[in-house]
Amino acid sequence: MKHLALILVFTLLIQQQSYFLKVEAGDDFVRTRGVHFLVNGIPYYANGFNAYWLMYIASDPSQRYKVTSAFQQASSHGLTVARTWAFSDGGYNPLQYSPNSYNEQMFKGLDFVIAEARNYGIKLILSFVDNYENFGGKKQYVNWARSQGQYLTSDDDFFTNPVVKGYYKNHIKTVLNRYNSINGVIYKNDPTIMAWELMNEPRCTSDPSGRTIQAWITEMASYVKSIDGNHLLEAGLEGFYGQASPQRKSSNPAFDVGTDFIANNLIPDIDFATVHSYPDQWVSSSDEQTQISFLNNWLSTHIEDAQNILHKPVFFAEFGKSYKDPNYSSYQRDELFSTVYSHIYSSAKSGGAAAGGLFWQLLADGMDSYRDGYEIVLSENTSTESLITQQAHRLYQIRKIFAQLRNIEKWKKAREIRRAQWLGKNKGKGVGN
């Protein structure tokens, strides 16, 4: 079956030969064409992980070995993308003390993360702000504005107040233009960064119509692109459907957060869609098989809509299963991982929109204080580790087939050029002259 899948991919590629010759850039930036990611003209599929803690740990030079260890272990298991925070707002030892006032030691931690990721062939998705208050988030921005005399009644004023939006835009500009103290590359010029994320799980429950979030994403996406034309951008969405697709709202868990998977991701400056998947939180009162049934429908509808409506890649940017759940077993976690991975692989091998997945979350050894129930320590979770490695290998094989075909097409093109040059030189000459 494995070889049959590769044959199907090869057949697909033959049908799409001209596709490869349109993109010749060799700068290592991830780009999109239709429903595919591309790196140097070759379709790119990624198996990866979340590790929100990277910058914070790396801000202490004596602890940086944990970042190195995580990247080394990830790379050895075929993981190629990490999603992490480029924010920490207010509170103890933050990145941003107050608007436009930054903690250089914390920024150097992020410098190290980016430089070290490159050493291990790992690309990064960096998020600008949190919806939640664990690391300051939108609540901190609103409180900063209140301290300057702004009358704000809700944390959701983050999305509409001009002063707050000005603070947020300043943070975007500061991060994009950051000069990396370790490798000397300005962030907006570094291909190690795969994409920027506007917000981790944006929610605006005060406006379930979705208009507030839609306007905010449109404005902020345009602002990012006005500074950085190199990198991809995504909104950080969980994937909930809204007013743009009322027939799909039945796929949502039973709450409304003011986002819209279709409308938000159709914004031109948003390059790809994201989906998060937590059946154990969203339909927690259901039994295990009902949760898996929910997940299967959740995955298939988003892949279908990314393919047929958005015409953009979709990344399953968070998924996991907590061992703190009632009656938990490692089999349940493995079943969830296998379900997510199977949907991604099935789509990818047929040329579909699913381009990869990032489990929540990877920890290095010796990080017990960061355990949240969802963590994966590769040396401990052997059955899940096997699934992760298998998925990385399967996606690598698809990319390898693409690369081989592209090399064949480049060789054919070069041969045609040489033949045309030879005919040009020998035009009018008789045989044997």
Side-chain angles (χ1 to χ4, degrees):
M1 291 300 294
K2 177 176 71 174
H3 296 294
L4 176 60
L6 295 179
I7 290 170
L8 291 172
V9 173
F10 191 78
T11 302
L12 173 71
L13 297 178
I14 290 174
Q15 295 171 349
Q16 297 180 341
Q17 288 178 6
S18 61
Y19 179 93
F20 301 93
L21 301 178
K22 294 178 181 177
V23 181
E24 298 294 338
D27 55 14
D28 292 329
F29 283 98
V30 182
R31 292 182 168 83
T32 61
R33 181 177 292 279
V35 298
H36 296 106
F37 291 125
L38 303 174
V39 176
N40 300 332
I42 300 171
Y44 180 73
Y45 299 93
N47 201 32
F49 60 96
N50 285 271
Y52 73 90
W53 47 268
L54 292 171
M55 175 182 68
Y56 186 82
I57 290 291
S59 68
D60 180 351
S62 72
Q63 297 297 303
R64 288 179 178 176
Y65 72 92
K66 293 177 181 176
V67 174
T68 300
S69 175
F71 284 156
Q72 188 277 325
Q73 291 181 45
S75 179
S76 69
H77 286 78
L79 300 174
T80 55
V81 173
R83 175 173 171 262
T84 192
W85 299 165
F87 63 78
S88 178
D89 307 307
Y92 173 74
N93 199 22
L95 172 63
Q96 190 175 193
Y97 292 117
S98 59
N100 203 32
S101 176
Y102 285 87
N103 179 348
E104 180 63 17
Q105 191 60 35
M106 190 63 68
F107 241 142
K108 287 181 177 178
L110 188 54
D111 293 345
F112 177 82
V113 169
I114 295 170
E116 195 74 344
R118 182 173 185 172
N119 290 337
Y120 286 94
I122 292 173
K123 292 190 178 291
L124 299 172
I125 297 175
L126 298 179
S127 187
F128 289 127
V129 72
D130 206 348
N131 178 69
Y132 312 107
E133 60 184 89
N134 305 62
F135 290 87
K138 66 183 183 184
K139 183 182 186 69
Q140 180 63 73
Y141 276 84
V142 168
N143 285 339
W144 281 334
R146 284 193 182 114
S147 71
Q148 296 301 310
Q150 295 291 302
Y151 178 71
L152 304 175
T153 60
S154 165
D155 292 347
D156 285 350
D157 289 332
F158 173 90
F159 299 109
T160 57
N161 180 265
V163 173
V164 174
K165 290 195 292 183
Y167 293 159
Y168 175 69
K169 285 180 177 179
N170 182 76
H171 179 61
I172 290 173
K173 181 173 65 174
T174 301
V175 172
L176 296 183
N177 289 314
R178 168 71 179 182
Y179 174 88
N180 191 311
S181 62
I182 294 175
N183 64 18
V185 182
I186 296 172
Y187 286 11
K188 67 182 179 183
N189 297 329
D190 194 335
T192 306
I193 299 166
M194 174 183 173
W196 304 109
E197 177 177 280
L198 290 180
M199 177 180 250
N200 173 48
E201 299 187 345
R203 293 183 174 190
C204 184
T205 54
S206 62
D207 182 9
S209 75
R211 288 189 291 269
T212 297
I213 287 282
Q214 182 76 359
W216 181 82
I217 293 174
T218 301
E219 178 181 352
M220 297 308 169
S222 176
Y223 183 74
V224 172
K225 293 291 188 174
S226 74
I227 300 172
D228 181 357
N230 289 323
H231 289 102
L232 301 180
L233 178 66
E234 48 98 350
L237 299 169
E238 296 159 275
F240 303 127
Y241 288 98
Q243 301 303 321
S245 50
Q247 75 282 2
R248 287 293 203 202
K249 293 188 75 172
S250 61
S251 299
N252 289 346
F255 50 85
D256 195 337
V257 299
T259 59
D260 189 319
F261 178 74
I262 299 299
N264 298 159
N265 285 308
L266 281 173
I267 293 169
D269 288 322
I270 296 299
D271 295 300
F272 64 98
T274 60
V275 178
H276 296 184
S277 303
Y278 291 108
D280 63 341
Q281 294 182 25
W282 297 347
V283 287
S284 58
S285 61
S286 301
D287 63 28
E288 189 65 25
Q289 286 311 305
T290 303
Q291 290 184 19
I292 290 297
S293 178
F294 168 87
L295 179 62
N296 273 304
N297 182 66
W298 184 252
L299 298 167
S300 60
T301 55
H302 285 86
I303 293 172
E304 179 183 328
D305 290 342
Q307 180 88 26
N308 299 326
I309 300 176
L310 301 178
H311 308 296
K312 296 178 182 182
V314 60
F315 222 52
F316 293 92
E318 284 189 29
F319 62 91
K321 172 76 174 175
S322 175
Y323 59 70
K324 297 179 181 179
D325 293 340
N327 303 314
Y328 168 84
S329 71
S330 59
Y331 171 81
Q332 293 172 352
R333 173 180 276 177
D334 289 349
E335 185 179 21
L336 181 138
F337 272 62
S338 182
T339 301
V340 174
Y341 285 159
S342 293
H343 277 270
I344 292 170
Y345 179 64
S346 178
S347 173
K349 75 178 182 180
S350 61
L358 312 175
F359 64 82
W360 184 279
Q361 62 163 328
L362 180 69
L363 293 184
D365 294 308
M367 296 186 64
D368 289 352
S369 64
Y370 287 82
R371 292 179 181 266
D372 61 0
Y374 290 89
E375 76 276 355
I376 299 293
V377 180
L378 292 169
S379 61
E380 295 176 1
N381 306 101
T382 54
S383 60
T384 312
E385 172 201 21
S386 178
L387 291 172
I388 291 167
T389 304
Q390 179 190 53
Q391 177 74 350
H393 177 73
R394 294 196 299 181
L395 295 181
Y396 171 76
Q397 289 299 113
I398 295 176
R399 179 165 166 76
K400 186 176 177 181
I401 292 285
F402 272 102
Q404 289 172 344
L405 185 69
R406 185 172 186 267
N407 288 337
I408 291 171
E409 290 302 311
K410 288 174 71 175
W411 176 80
K412 286 181 179 179
K413 187 176 181 181
R415 185 180 64 176
E416 291 171 359
I417 292 172
R418 289 195 300 270
R419 177 171 174 76
Q421 291 172 339
W422 184 87
L423 289 174
K425 289 180 181 179
N426 292 278
K427 186 177 182 181
K429 293 183 180 180
V431 176
N433 291 341

